[in-house]
Structures are given as C-alpha cells and as structure tokens.
Amino acid sequence: MTTTPDEGVIKYVSHWTPGAPLEESELTELMAWRDRMHQAQHIGLYPNGIGYGNISLRRSTHSFAVSGTQTGHLAHTTPHHYTLVDTWDIDRNTLHCTGPIQASSESLTHAALYDYSSAIQAIIHIHNRPLWQRGQGVLPTTAASVPYGTPAMAYEMIRLLDCSDLMQTRILIMAGHEEGVLVFGPTLAAAAQVLYQHID
C-alpha cells in the first residue's frame, strides 16, 4: 500500500481550544467501537507511519465527539484521544474543537453528514482495500478527483446524499482517498453492521 504524502494531514483550518476530555461515560461506546475497528485493522497505521480511519458520534444538533488526529497507531484509546467538534463552516474550510487533542483530519466530512440529516448519529471511516476496489461505482462513490478532508469532499457527501440511495445504503466509497470507506447510521452498532454486511 502506498499513500500520498499528505495522507493523515489536516487540510481544513483547525481552531483548537485545549481542554479537559469528555466524561468517560459519554465515550464508552465510541471507544469500544473504535478499538474493535483497530483490532480488525480497519483503523490503524501504515508501515510508513501514516495513520488511517476515524470514528464519531453526534452529541447534539451542532456538535459531535470524534477521534483525534494521529491516533491510528493506538490499540486502545482513552477519553484523552477524543475531542468535541462544536462549530464548523464548510464554505470557509474551518472547524473548531475543544478537548485534549485536535480533531481527525476527516472531521469536516463528518460535519457535512451530520449537517445533512438528524438520522445520521454515528459515522465510521475505515480503510479496506478489497471493499474499496469492489465497491467503486457499485456503491455510492465520490469522484476520484476529490481529496479527503476538504470542502470538496464535504460537498461530495451532500451530492451523493441528494443524488443516490446513500441514505438507504449508508455506505460510500471514497474513490480519491485510497482504501477509504465510510459508513453511518443511527447508532455506532448500526453503522458497523452496514460495514460487516459488505466485507468478505
């Protein structure tokens, strides 16, 4: 697997207010599913040191908890590896988070999905080459020219939600983000179930 030099790099303008972690009780489910995804190698670290995959859970109409940047190498996470994204502006390519760590490089993409529908309560972004290759053009697929973590990718989410059956399938292939697959649902368990239905 080769990755482009900017894989795992935050591309939006990140406004981070360092702060205390969220309560562990609020993150129990998120940590459990994230660590399961790591155990299955859907979230992790490539040999070149670049991390991949992230996970989030809606907290309110305009906020969500998300795994922090550069945490892909961790087999087990704690509340210190998550942050609260509380404001964002896709047009301006900005995002604000509060917590012990900066938000994942894919957080603007998560924000676009949460903006779109209150039915979307949980998002899991994983890397899986067989599914990524097999699903392109079969499942809802972003344009290959669109890079991850950008306003263009956020708008691709909206395009697919508007113009495909993505709200029903709840899984998409990120053609311009090698191996990238994203699932969502009303719960983390439901999002994970969609993933398991499509993995060999």
Side-chain angles (χ1 to χ4, degrees):
M1 164 67 197
T2 58
T3 56
T4 54
D6 65 349
E7 285 285 311
V9 174
I10 293 175
K11 296 182 177 182
Y12 55 81
V13 178
S14 175
H15 299 289
W16 172 41
T17 302
L22 293 166
E23 292 294 326
E24 186 163 1
S25 60
E26 298 178 68
L27 295 171
T28 301
E29 185 184 18
L30 196 58
M31 292 187 296
W33 278 108
R34 185 269 173 206
D35 292 353
R36 282 184 211 174
M37 290 295 148
H38 184 278
Q39 185 176 14
Q41 299 183 334
H42 299 320
I43 291 176
L45 191 73
Y46 288 120
N48 63 4
I50 299 297
Y52 60 88
N54 44 70
I55 187 169
S56 71
L57 187 64
R58 187 191 289 272
R59 284 285 310 279
S60 70
T61 304
H62 297 295
S63 69
F64 58 93
V66 65
S67 50
T69 187
Q70 306 300 320
T71 57
H73 64 288
L74 298 168
H76 300 286
T77 53
T78 74
H80 286 84
H81 302 122
Y82 298 84
T83 194
L84 181 70
V85 174
D86 47 20
T87 57
W88 55 85
D89 188 324
I90 294 170
D91 289 338
R92 294 171 184 254
N93 194 31
T94 63
L95 182 144
H96 179 268
C97 61
T98 301
I101 193 169
Q102 290 198 60
S104 160
S105 59
E106 283 283 4
S107 293
L108 206 62
T109 303
H110 291 236
L113 290 167
Y114 288 128
D115 264 349
Y116 189 86
S117 173
S118 60
I120 299 174
Q121 294 284 317
I123 299 169
I124 304 173
H125 168 56
I126 63 109
H127 281 207
N128 181 282
R129 178 168 288 278
L131 177 55
W132 181 75
Q133 291 176 323
R134 187 174 67 249
Q136 287 191 45
V138 178
L139 297 168
T141 303
T142 64
S145 60
V146 175
Y148 83 92
T150 62
M153 181 60 83
Y155 292 129
E156 271 292 276
M157 298 295 112
I158 297 166
R159 181 185 70 80
L160 288 176
L161 287 160
D162 283 342
C163 302
S164 74
D165 60 353
L166 179 55
M167 279 302 289
Q168 286 69 50
T169 62
R170 306 204 313 263
I171 181 170
L172 65 90
I173 305 298
M174 304 169 88
H177 182 38
E178 195 164 3
E179 299 189 354
V181 178
L182 189 147
V183 293
F184 59 83
T187 64
L188 286 165
Q193 185 59 39
V194 171
L195 179 62
Y196 296 150
Q197 289 169 356
H198 289 87
I199 288 178
D200 292 335

